[in-house]
């Protein structure tokens, strides 16, 4: 992780407006949890035109339900339509966009001018946000998209905080930036490794993470540089939790978390940490201090080593993953709270992973967290159990502190 | 007959440019790495002017590439660079970033504007979008197939450019991945790579091999624009060139990037002959198998000549 701290950007000490916290949601359940844990907006994929062709994407009905749920929290739903379309994708686009508009979607995230332009014409209530897939890095390009009528640009992940501040100083437009999660190590949209290796089109969602495969670097006449310690194009994951004041003061309007393929536990944990950091900053910017618990929380969900991307400097040797990727998160998602009876102190839990009496578990929710040992365990009829074995099974146990529906339970992985 | 299809080439130097004009090139893309990506060679502003002076009298066109992914810091010098190119008499600017489009439109609307966003120019509606904003030509992504290319041409007024020969870029990162690897290697196993030993430029011949693909070599290099990985095969469409000519594609590009002048000369000559033979008698045109032989004789045995994505179906 970069150790350097950016000097406070000149003239911009505090900002008054809270940036939006934008979270990924791979399905309806994740959407609900992301919003419940504090996301101001979520982005999802529909059945077409998105770059995660194998995520369990939303139907229009699910979108409507998601929009309704989010509205109760004052949150918005965006849909990623971020492919680079081919000729044959043009047909059907207009209907698709009208359906999104009718479902109450607030914005689409688009890269291809075809989609940008079509949306403006056929679905005027949908905002169009320019996707990071356009790799927009300079303020004149941002100005171009503003002139086209776009209210927001998601910058390329290669922009530094200083460059972002300069873009904000030159163009009056919303800027969205990725602040957490996995990253393409290439410029977005500028990698067709998967096309060449497997005939899968990465710019239409077919990427098979070829950048993380095994490569030898060869020097002519000399052979491979090192056959054990391989070359890599794989990057560590982005994490800006330790640099929130710099990020907030650079003027970024929307803080985006990557991960439509990530678990419910991951989304809730990461959103929760950033929500608390942002709120703490705005309570009193002068007394803001990093709470080590936020970093710990994020590490409980992270499945790769973390770094700060391009925000402070161009990534170097320490920002790439050379060794086999074995850093699995030290905690596993174990269950979600469905109900709690304050009279008895017993909670009803929906099982998401095997757990049993005697095991150390943690409960957490938007209000905080605590650890305890699993004591007596029963099924939902009160019959004693020696383990919660079945996915989605309803079980009951006594919690040491009150819990609320949608709180989560995780267990430490015993290595 | 309508306008003839242009044979477009790259050039690594003024000398190569002159030889490729003699071999039959109609137009060139040149430039310098400060502004353009993956260029065959470096042309300073003075050399660009010299190239125009050499090309113009022979009816050959010069296009200059400003298709880098541009950061704020580069913006202030763009108008001056474009003024210089216009004064030198270049015919068109190749761009990917809207900042370049806006600058050219504002100061030199007479210049052609070739939209080349590499992997992301994938459909005709998008081409037409850039056309309405001022682009005069669009360069088709290398990952499209023949049917898609032909369909594009039918749905756009813009000139259409297609790469027909040479290697293509398959990965571009701003990260200095080779330097990072060398630094990493130096700390873990100092014996492997004494300091300064890994030279990472495009002329060093470095390549990657993927564990499951022992037959393929992917050239890799670094420059001021980051790290570039190139395809392990070279496109060669000579055999089926008439399909593109019949479709009325406006420009066929031979990319001589990382190739010797003698190789490029041979390739240009072969394509020139095929194009001329086609136009001499479009209906009776037959591909002459022997035309491939001089290219095959000079082809790097580790690099297959292929049809690229022209006849492939991709999934996603
Ligand atoms: S292979 Fe890697 S760099 Fe390329 S598109 Fe996929 S994730 Fe991004």
């Amino acid at each position: 992780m970069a150790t350097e701290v950016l000097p406070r950007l000149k003239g911009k000490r505090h900002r008054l407006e809270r940036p939006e916290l934008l979270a990924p949601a791979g399905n309806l359940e994740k959407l609900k949890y992301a919003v419940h844990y504090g996301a101001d907006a979520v982005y999802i994929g529909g059945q077409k035109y998105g770059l995660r062709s194998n995520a369990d994407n939303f139907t229009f009905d699910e979108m409507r339900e998601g929009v309704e749920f989010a509205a109760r929290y004052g949150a918005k739903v965006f849909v990623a339509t971020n492919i680079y379309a081919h000729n044959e994708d043009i047909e059907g686009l207009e209907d698709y966009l009208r359906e999104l508009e009718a479902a109450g979607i607030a914005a689409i995230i688009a890269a291809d001018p075809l989609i940008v332009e079509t949306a403006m014409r056929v679905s005027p209530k949908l905002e169009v946000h320019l996707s990071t897939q356009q790799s927009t890095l300079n303020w004149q390009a941002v100005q171009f998209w503003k002139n086209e009528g776009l209210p927001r640009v998601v910058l390329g992940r290669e922009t530094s905080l200083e460059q972002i501040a300069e873009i904000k100083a030159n163009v009056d437009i919303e800027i969205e930036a990725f602040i957490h999660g996995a990253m393409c190590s290439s410029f977005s949209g500028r990698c067709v490794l998967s096309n060449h290796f497997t005939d899968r089109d990465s710019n239409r969602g077919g990427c098979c993470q070829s950048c993380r495969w095994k490569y030898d670097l060869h020097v002519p006449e000399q052979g491979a540089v090192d056959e054990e310690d391989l070359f890599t194009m794989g990057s560590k994951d982005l994490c800006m939790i330790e640099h929130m004041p710099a990020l907030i003061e650079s003027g970024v309007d929307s803080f985006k978390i990557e991960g439509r393929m990530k678990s419910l536990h991951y989304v809730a944990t990461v959103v929760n940490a950033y929500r608390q950091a942002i709120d703490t900053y705005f309570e009193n910017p002068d007394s803001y201090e990093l709470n080590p618990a936020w970093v710990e929380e994020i590490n409980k969900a992270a499945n790769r080593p973390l770094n700060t991307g391009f925000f402070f400097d161009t990534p170097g040797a320490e920002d790439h993953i050379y060794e086999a990727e074995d850093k699995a998160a030290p905690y596993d998602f174990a269950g979600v709270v469905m109900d709690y009876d304050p009279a008895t102190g017993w909670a009803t839990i929906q099982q998401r992973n095997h757990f049993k009496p005697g095991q150390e578990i943690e409960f957490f929710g938007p209000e905080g967290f605590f650890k305890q040992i699993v004591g007596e365990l029963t099924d939902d009829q009160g019959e004693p159990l020696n383990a919660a074995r079945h996915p989605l099974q309803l079980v009951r146990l006594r919690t040491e502190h009150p819990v609320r529906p949608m709180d989560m339970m995780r267990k430490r992985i015993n290595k | 007959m309508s306008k003839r299809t242009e044979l477009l080439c790259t050039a690594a130097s003024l000398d190569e440019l002159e030889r490729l004009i003699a071999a039959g090139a109609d137009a060139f893309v040149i430039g310098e790495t400060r502004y353009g990506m993956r260029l065959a060679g470096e042309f300073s502003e003075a050399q660009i002017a010299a190239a125009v002076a050499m090309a113009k009298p022979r009816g050959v066109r010069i296009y200059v590439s400003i298709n880098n992914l541009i950061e704020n810091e580069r913006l202030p010098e763009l108008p001056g660079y474009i003024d210089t190119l216009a004064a030198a008499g270049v015919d068109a600017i190749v761009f990917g970033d809207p900042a370049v489009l806006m600058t050219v439109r504002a100061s030199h609307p007479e210049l052609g504007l070739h939209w080349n966003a590499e992997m992301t120019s994938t459909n005709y509606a998008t081409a037409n979008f850039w056309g309405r904003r001022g682009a005069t030509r669009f360069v088709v992504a290398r990952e499209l197939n023949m049917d898609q290319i032909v369909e594009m041409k039918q749905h756009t007024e813009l000139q259409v450019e297609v790469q027909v020969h040479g290697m293509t870029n398959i990965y571009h990162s701003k990260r200095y991945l080779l330097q990072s690897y060398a630094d990493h290697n130096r700390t873990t196993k100092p014996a492997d790579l004494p300091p300064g030993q890994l030279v990472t430029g495009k002329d060093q011949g470095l390549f990657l091999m993927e564990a499951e693909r022992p037959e393929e070599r992917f050239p890799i290099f670094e420059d001021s624009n980051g790290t570039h990985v190139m395809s392990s095969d070279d496109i060669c469409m000579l055999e089926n060139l008439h399909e593109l000519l019949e479709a009325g594609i406006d420009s066929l590009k031979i990319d001589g990037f990382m190739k010797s002048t003698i190789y490029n000369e041979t390739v240009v000559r072969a394509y020139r002959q095929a194009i001329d033979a086609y136009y001499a008698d479009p209906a009776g045109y037959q591909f002459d198998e022997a035309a491939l032989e001089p290219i095959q004789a000079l082809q790097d045995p580790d690099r297959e000549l292929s049809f690229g994505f022209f006849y492939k179906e991709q999934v996603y």
Side-chain angles (χ1 to χ4, degrees):
Chain A
M1 200 169 278
T3 45
E4 240 169 284
V5 176
L6 190 79
R8 288 283 160 98
L9 295 153
K10 267 194 229 106
K12 272 249 180 190
R13 179 56 186 84
H14 304 145
R15 52 180 280 168
L16 297 174
E17 261 178 75
R18 234 167 252 247
E20 165 188 283
L21 183 59
L22 175 57
N27 61 32
L28 190 55
E29 186 183 43
K30 291 177 194 173
L31 178 151
K32 291 178 178 174
Y33 277 81
V35 169
H36 182 73
Y37 277 76
D40 301 305
V42 293
Y43 63 101
I44 64 175
Q47 306 283 328
K48 279 152 75 177
Y49 302 105
L51 271 184
R52 293 289 174 273
S53 53
N54 47 0
D56 44 4
N57 292 320
F58 282 67
T59 63
F60 293 122
D61 279 339
E62 288 170 330
M63 284 184 197
R64 270 185 283 276
E65 191 182 335
V67 167
E68 221 169 84
F69 182 92
R72 281 185 243 147
Y73 290 77
K76 292 181 204 160
V77 180
F78 305 156
V79 171
T81 53
N82 51 353
I83 63 163
Y84 279 103
H86 288 201
N87 297 338
E88 60 268 29
D89 302 316
I90 295 174
E91 206 188 304
L93 176 61
E94 295 189 4
D95 288 341
Y96 183 76
L97 293 168
R98 285 195 194 97
E99 289 266 17
L100 295 184
E101 186 182 40
I105 298 300
I108 56 165
I109 306 165
D112 193 322
L114 154 73
I115 298 179
V116 170
E117 219 179 17
T118 309
M120 296 207 165
R121 185 161 46 78
V122 307
S123 49
K125 278 190 283 184
L126 271 183
E127 275 190 14
V128 180
H129 299 172
L130 190 74
S131 161
T132 194
Q133 289 292 110
Q134 270 283 354
S135 284
T136 306
L137 308 176
N138 71 74
W139 67 260
Q140 278 185 14
V142 172
Q143 182 68 51
F144 174 88
W145 294 109
K146 180 181 161 76
N147 298 349
E148 291 289 328
L150 274 62
R152 182 185 293 195
V153 168
V154 191
L155 294 177
R157 292 177 176 90
E158 291 75 14
T159 37
S160 68
L161 279 185
E162 263 165 289
Q163 289 171 324
I164 293 173
E166 199 180 338
I167 290 169
K168 283 295 293 184
N170 278 285
V171 190
D172 180 19
I173 192 169
E174 289 172 13
I175 292 295
E176 177 178 312
F178 278 93
I179 61 155
H180 193 93
M183 289 180 284
C184 274
S185 61
S186 70
F187 283 108
S188 291
R190 303 300 181 105
C191 168
V192 288
L193 291 174
S194 299
N195 305 53
H196 278 259
F197 291 157
T198 62
D199 290 337
R200 292 173 59 91
D201 187 357
S202 46
N203 280 329
R204 285 191 291 173
C207 157
C208 32
Q209 304 248 323
S210 314
C211 60
R212 299 188 188 274
W213 295 1
K214 292 195 166 73
Y215 298 93
D216 271 325
L217 175 65
H218 286 254
V219 181
E221 323 284 308
Q222 285 174 37
V225 169
D226 186 331
E227 283 173 5
E228 276 132 46
D229 202 359
L230 298 179
F231 174 80
T232 191
M233 291 180 255
S235 165
K236 292 185 179 174
D237 284 1
L238 183 61
C239 174
M240 287 295 283
I241 191 72
E242 295 182 22
H243 307 278
M244 295 309 278
L247 198 61
I248 291 169
E249 288 157 25
S250 74
V252 175
D253 299 278
S254 176
F255 290 4
K256 184 174 202 167
I257 298 166
E258 178 277 344
R260 277 193 281 143
M261 312 284 282
K262 296 282 193 346
S263 72
L264 192 61
H265 172 242
Y266 178 94
V267 172
T269 302
V270 174
V271 168
N272 207 15
Y274 282 103
R275 176 78 279 150
Q276 292 179 31
I278 295 170
D279 290 348
T280 305
Y281 175 90
F282 281 96
E283 266 160 35
N284 187 348
D286 290 314
S287 66
Y288 176 90
E289 267 182 49
L290 175 73
N291 181 344
W294 303 331
V295 183
E296 270 167 44
E297 275 297 293
I298 279 182
N299 278 321
K300 287 174 188 170
N303 37 23
R304 284 202 194 105
L306 304 170
N307 78 355
T308 57
F310 286 82
F311 281 115
F312 301 104
D313 208 352
T314 301
E318 67 286 2
D319 297 303
H320 299 110
I321 302 177
Y322 295 96
E323 64 285 357
E325 291 182 26
D326 60 359
K327 188 196 175 299
Y331 283 82
D332 248 351
F333 181 25
V336 291
V337 176
M338 306 300 286
D339 201 8
Y340 175 72
D341 182 352
T344 61
W346 279 69
T348 305
I349 309 286
Q350 187 185 58
Q351 193 263 32
R352 294 304 177 101
N353 211 325
H354 184 282
F355 66 92
K356 58 178 195 280
Q359 233 171 358
E360 184 185 306
I361 52 170
E362 254 180 48
F363 283 96
F364 76 99
E367 319 287 336
F369 78 103
F370 61 90
K371 289 186 206 293
Q372 73 170 66
I373 303 291
V374 181
E376 209 183 321
L377 186 69
T378 76
D379 69 8
D380 58 344
Q381 307 301 318
E383 291 296 319
L385 292 173
N386 57 11
R389 288 199 176 76
H390 308 293
L392 305 184
Q393 179 185 15
L394 292 178
V395 301
R396 303 181 66 214
L397 56 81
R398 194 196 301 274
T399 60
E400 287 174 8
H401 301 277
V403 290
R404 277 155 293 269
M406 297 184 85
D407 281 359
M408 291 206 172
M409 194 184 112
R410 55 164 86 100
K411 63 169 186 178
R412 187 173 256 295
I413 298 172
N414 301 314
K415 289 226 162 148
Chain B
M1 187 186 292
S2 64
K3 254 182 75 188
R4 286 193 171 206
T5 296
E6 157 189 287
L7 184 57
L8 174 65
C9 305
T10 59
S13 63
L14 280 167
D15 175 56
E16 184 172 84
L17 187 112
E18 186 162 32
R19 286 170 63 177
L20 297 185
I21 292 176
D26 297 316
F28 288 88
V29 185
I30 56 175
E32 61 177 297
T33 304
R34 188 171 175 83
Y35 303 102
M37 265 190 289
R38 295 179 287 275
L39 297 156
E42 296 292 312
F43 280 73
S44 66
E45 290 164 31
Q47 286 166 323
I48 290 172
V52 174
M54 190 184 286
K56 272 258 156 91
R58 299 184 232 187
V60 170
R61 293 172 292 278
I62 298 291
Y63 312 141
V64 175
S65 189
I66 315 183
N67 67 342
N68 275 351
L69 292 152
I70 294 171
E71 300 183 17
N72 291 335
E73 293 71 21
R74 196 61 91 227
L75 294 175
E77 63 198 68
L78 272 185
Y81 184 57
I82 291 165
D83 286 346
T84 310
L85 299 179
V90 309
D91 296 279
I93 303 293
V94 182
F95 79 100
D97 193 305
V100 176
L101 173 103
M102 290 196 289
T103 311
V104 173
R105 292 286 292 164
S107 56
H108 297 284
E110 76 283 3
L111 287 177
L113 270 168
H114 298 178
W115 178 57
N116 182 4
E118 302 263 324
M119 294 102 168
T120 66
S121 34
T122 50
N123 71 74
Y124 58 79
T126 295
N128 292 336
F129 169 90
W130 291 110
R132 286 192 293 278
R133 304 299 179 276
T136 55
R137 170 184 294 193
F138 87 101
V139 181
V140 175
R142 279 76 173 162
E143 292 74 32
L144 298 189
N145 65 33
M146 185 66 90
D147 294 341
Q148 292 170 324
I149 293 170
V150 171
E151 194 185 0
M152 278 213 190
K153 175 62 193 165
Q154 290 163 349
H155 286 86
T156 183
E157 301 288 306
L158 296 187
Q159 298 168 13
V160 175
E161 176 187 314
V162 176
Q163 182 178 344
V164 291
H165 197 96
M167 68 172 73
T168 63
N169 176 249
I170 64 174
Y171 172 96
H172 178 198
S173 174
K174 189 186 169 181
R175 298 158 187 266
Y176 297 107
L177 294 170
L178 292 170
Q179 220 42 73
S180 291
Y181 181 52
D183 290 345
H184 162 77
N185 215 279
R186 218 169 272 136
T187 50
T188 53
K189 296 189 183 168
D192 278 3
L193 269 183
Q197 190 172 311
L198 191 67
V199 189
T200 59
K202 81 175 165 65
D203 301 323
Q204 300 306 316
L206 300 180
F207 59 91
L208 294 181
M209 285 177 73
E210 198 277 320
E212 308 285 314
R213 292 167 177 73
E215 304 299 311
E216 298 184 59
R217 298 171 166 209
F218 299 90
I220 182 168
F221 67 97
E222 279 175 6
D223 61 17
S224 54
N225 294 321
T227 307
H228 311 260
V229 181
M230 308 300 291
S231 61
S232 63
D233 53 348
D234 287 315
I235 301 173
C236 176
M237 279 297 284
L238 188 59
E239 210 175 318
N240 295 336
L241 209 59
H242 57 281
E243 294 179 25
L244 293 162
L245 294 167
E246 270 157 29
I249 300 304
D250 302 270
S251 178
L252 303 177
K253 183 183 186 189
I254 293 169
D255 200 323
F257 185 71
M258 286 187 163
K259 304 278 194 249
S260 67
T261 299
I262 178 90
Y263 177 90
N264 288 332
E265 220 169 21
T266 306
V267 172
V268 171
R269 217 173 272 134
Y271 280 80
R272 176 81 274 154
Q273 281 165 8
I275 294 171
D276 290 350
Y278 174 84
Y279 281 117
D281 178 12
Y285 174 82
Q286 284 270 334
F287 173 68
D288 173 11
E289 285 288 337
L292 265 174
E293 282 163 20
I295 299 177
Q296 281 160 343
L298 293 176
Q299 181 68 21
D300 177 345
D302 289 324
R303 296 182 60 79
E304 193 193 344
L305 287 171
S306 82
F307 290 125
F309 287 91
F310 280 97
Y311 304 105
K312 271 189 189 170
E313 210 50 69
Q314 294 180 81
V315 294
Y316 51 92

